[in-house]
Short mmCIF file of all heavy atoms in Angstrom, two decimals:
data_model
loop_
_atom_site.label_atom_id
_atom_site.label_comp_id
_atom_site.label_asym_id
_atom_site.label_seq_id
_atom_site.Cartn_x
_atom_site.Cartn_y
_atom_site.Cartn_z
N PHE A 42 -1.38 18.22 25.23
CA PHE A 42 -1.06 18.08 23.80
C PHE A 42 -0.69 19.46 23.28
O PHE A 42 -1.57 20.31 23.16
CB PHE A 42 -2.26 17.57 23.01
CG PHE A 42 -2.74 16.20 23.41
CD1 PHE A 42 -3.87 16.05 24.20
CD2 PHE A 42 -2.07 15.07 22.98
CE1 PHE A 42 -4.32 14.79 24.55
CE2 PHE A 42 -2.52 13.81 23.32
CZ PHE A 42 -3.64 13.67 24.12
N LEU A 82 -1.81 5.59 26.88
CA LEU A 82 -1.23 6.92 26.72
C LEU A 82 -0.40 7.21 27.96
O LEU A 82 -0.80 6.91 29.07
CB LEU A 82 -2.40 7.91 26.64
CG LEU A 82 -2.24 9.19 25.87
CD1 LEU A 82 -1.85 8.89 24.44
CD2 LEU A 82 -3.57 9.93 25.87
N LYS A 104 -2.29 -3.85 31.76
CA LYS A 104 -3.12 -4.42 30.70
C LYS A 104 -3.59 -5.83 31.02
O LYS A 104 -4.65 -6.26 30.61
CB LYS A 104 -2.36 -4.40 29.38
CG LYS A 104 -2.27 -3.01 28.78
CD LYS A 104 -1.45 -3.00 27.52
CE LYS A 104 -1.40 -1.61 26.91
NZ LYS A 104 -0.56 -1.59 25.71
N TYR A 109 -11.49 -4.28 29.18
CA TYR A 109 -11.89 -3.05 28.49
C TYR A 109 -12.99 -3.35 27.50
O TYR A 109 -12.93 -4.31 26.74
CB TYR A 109 -10.67 -2.45 27.79
CG TYR A 109 -10.97 -1.22 26.95
CD1 TYR A 109 -11.00 0.03 27.56
CD2 TYR A 109 -11.20 -1.32 25.59
CE1 TYR A 109 -11.27 1.17 26.81
CE2 TYR A 109 -11.46 -0.18 24.84
CZ TYR A 109 -11.49 1.06 25.46
OH TYR A 109 -11.75 2.18 24.72
N TYR A 117 -15.64 -9.16 17.10
CA TYR A 117 -15.54 -9.21 15.65
C TYR A 117 -16.80 -9.79 15.04
O TYR A 117 -17.14 -10.95 15.28
CB TYR A 117 -14.32 -10.01 15.23
CG TYR A 117 -13.05 -9.29 15.58
CD1 TYR A 117 -12.38 -9.56 16.75
CD2 TYR A 117 -12.55 -8.30 14.74
CE1 TYR A 117 -11.22 -8.87 17.08
CE2 TYR A 117 -11.40 -7.61 15.06
CZ TYR A 117 -10.74 -7.91 16.23
OH TYR A 117 -9.62 -7.22 16.55
N ASP A 119 -17.54 -10.72 12.07
CA ASP A 119 -17.46 -11.81 11.10
C ASP A 119 -16.88 -13.09 11.72
O ASP A 119 -16.58 -14.04 11.01
CB ASP A 119 -16.66 -11.39 9.86
CG ASP A 119 -15.27 -10.88 10.22
OD1 ASP A 119 -15.03 -10.61 11.42
OD2 ASP A 119 -14.44 -10.76 9.31
N GLU A 124 -15.53 -18.33 18.31
CA GLU A 124 -14.23 -17.86 17.83
C GLU A 124 -13.79 -16.60 18.53
O GLU A 124 -12.60 -16.40 18.82
CB GLU A 124 -14.28 -17.64 16.31
CG GLU A 124 -14.30 -18.93 15.53
CD GLU A 124 -14.84 -18.76 14.11
OE1 GLU A 124 -15.24 -17.64 13.74
OE2 GLU A 124 -14.87 -19.76 13.39
N ILE A 132 -5.63 -14.12 23.38
CA ILE A 132 -4.90 -12.86 23.51
C ILE A 132 -4.50 -12.62 24.97
O ILE A 132 -3.42 -12.12 25.26
CB ILE A 132 -5.76 -11.70 22.98
CG1 ILE A 132 -5.80 -11.74 21.46
CG2 ILE A 132 -5.23 -10.36 23.46
CD1 ILE A 132 -6.65 -10.67 20.84
N ASN A 137 -6.03 -23.38 26.87
CA ASN A 137 -7.17 -23.89 26.11
C ASN A 137 -8.25 -24.50 27.00
O ASN A 137 -9.44 -24.31 26.78
CB ASN A 137 -6.70 -24.94 25.10
CG ASN A 137 -6.01 -24.29 23.93
OD1 ASN A 137 -6.26 -23.10 23.64
ND2 ASN A 137 -5.14 -25.01 23.27
N ARG B 27 -0.81 -16.26 22.02
CA ARG B 27 -1.50 -15.02 21.69
C ARG B 27 -1.43 -14.75 20.21
O ARG B 27 -2.40 -14.47 19.55
CB ARG B 27 -0.75 -13.88 22.38
CG ARG B 27 -1.46 -13.41 23.58
CD ARG B 27 -0.63 -12.40 24.31
NE ARG B 27 -0.79 -12.70 25.69
CZ ARG B 27 0.06 -12.38 26.64
NH1 ARG B 27 1.15 -11.72 26.34
NH2 ARG B 27 -0.20 -12.68 27.87
N LYS B 34 -7.49 -15.51 13.78
CA LYS B 34 -8.58 -14.56 13.61
C LYS B 34 -8.46 -13.87 12.26
O LYS B 34 -9.44 -13.72 11.54
CB LYS B 34 -8.52 -13.54 14.73
CG LYS B 34 -9.00 -12.16 14.36
CD LYS B 34 -8.55 -11.16 15.40
CE LYS B 34 -8.82 -9.73 15.03
NZ LYS B 34 -8.15 -9.20 13.87
N HIS B 38 -11.06 -13.71 9.11
CA HIS B 38 -11.51 -12.48 8.45
C HIS B 38 -11.40 -12.61 6.94
O HIS B 38 -12.31 -12.29 6.20
CB HIS B 38 -10.65 -11.29 8.87
CG HIS B 38 -10.95 -10.77 10.24
ND1 HIS B 38 -12.23 -10.74 10.75
CD2 HIS B 38 -10.17 -10.25 11.19
CE1 HIS B 38 -12.18 -10.23 11.96
NE2 HIS B 38 -10.95 -9.93 12.26
N ARG B 41 -13.73 -15.26 5.33
CA ARG B 41 -15.17 -14.99 5.35
C ARG B 41 -15.56 -13.81 4.50
O ARG B 41 -16.72 -13.56 4.27
CB ARG B 41 -15.61 -14.75 6.79
CG ARG B 41 -15.50 -16.05 7.51
CD ARG B 41 -16.27 -16.16 8.74
NE ARG B 41 -15.95 -17.48 9.27
CZ ARG B 41 -15.81 -17.74 10.53
NH1 ARG B 41 -16.02 -16.79 11.42
NH2 ARG B 41 -15.51 -18.94 10.93
N GLU B 222 -9.85 -2.21 11.85
CA GLU B 222 -9.84 -2.37 13.31
C GLU B 222 -10.00 -1.02 13.99
O GLU B 222 -10.65 -0.91 15.03
CB GLU B 222 -8.53 -3.01 13.77
CG GLU B 222 -8.27 -4.37 13.16
CD GLU B 222 -8.55 -5.51 14.12
OE1 GLU B 222 -9.07 -5.26 15.21
OE2 GLU B 222 -8.25 -6.66 13.75
N GLU B 229 -8.71 -0.43 19.75
CA GLU B 229 -8.56 0.00 21.15
C GLU B 229 -8.58 -1.21 22.08
O GLU B 229 -7.80 -1.30 23.01
CB GLU B 229 -9.71 0.91 21.54
CG GLU B 229 -9.47 2.38 21.29
CD GLU B 229 -10.72 3.17 21.54
OE1 GLU B 229 -11.23 3.11 22.67
OE2 GLU B 229 -11.21 3.82 20.60
N LEU B 232 -5.38 -2.88 21.82
CA LEU B 232 -4.28 -2.14 22.44
C LEU B 232 -4.35 -2.18 23.96
O LEU B 232 -3.32 -2.11 24.63
CB LEU B 232 -4.28 -0.69 21.95
CG LEU B 232 -3.83 -0.49 20.49
CD1 LEU B 232 -4.00 0.94 20.07
CD2 LEU B 232 -2.39 -0.93 20.29
N LEU B 391 -0.03 8.60 19.00
CA LEU B 391 -0.36 8.26 20.37
C LEU B 391 -0.13 9.42 21.32
O LEU B 391 -0.81 9.57 22.32
CB LEU B 391 0.48 7.07 20.83
CG LEU B 391 -0.12 5.71 20.54
CD1 LEU B 391 0.72 4.62 21.13
CD2 LEU B 391 -1.55 5.61 21.06
N GLU B 392 0.86 10.25 20.99
CA GLU B 392 1.19 11.34 21.93
C GLU B 392 0.03 12.29 22.10
O GLU B 392 -0.26 13.16 21.47
CB GLU B 392 2.45 12.08 21.44
CG GLU B 392 3.72 11.36 21.83
CD GLU B 392 3.83 11.13 23.32
OE1 GLU B 392 3.69 12.10 24.07
OE2 GLU B 392 4.04 9.98 23.74
#
Side-chain angles (χ1 to χ4, degrees):
Chain A
F42 297 103
L82 208 57
K104 286 176 178 178
Y109 176 84
Y117 291 95
D119 56 346
E124 287 160 358
I132 286 178
N137 285 336
Chain B
R27 257 174 220 157
K34 148 196 172 297
H38 284 324
R41 290 200 183 143
E222 301 257 7
E229 270 173 59
L232 288 174
L391 272 185
E392 278 304 307

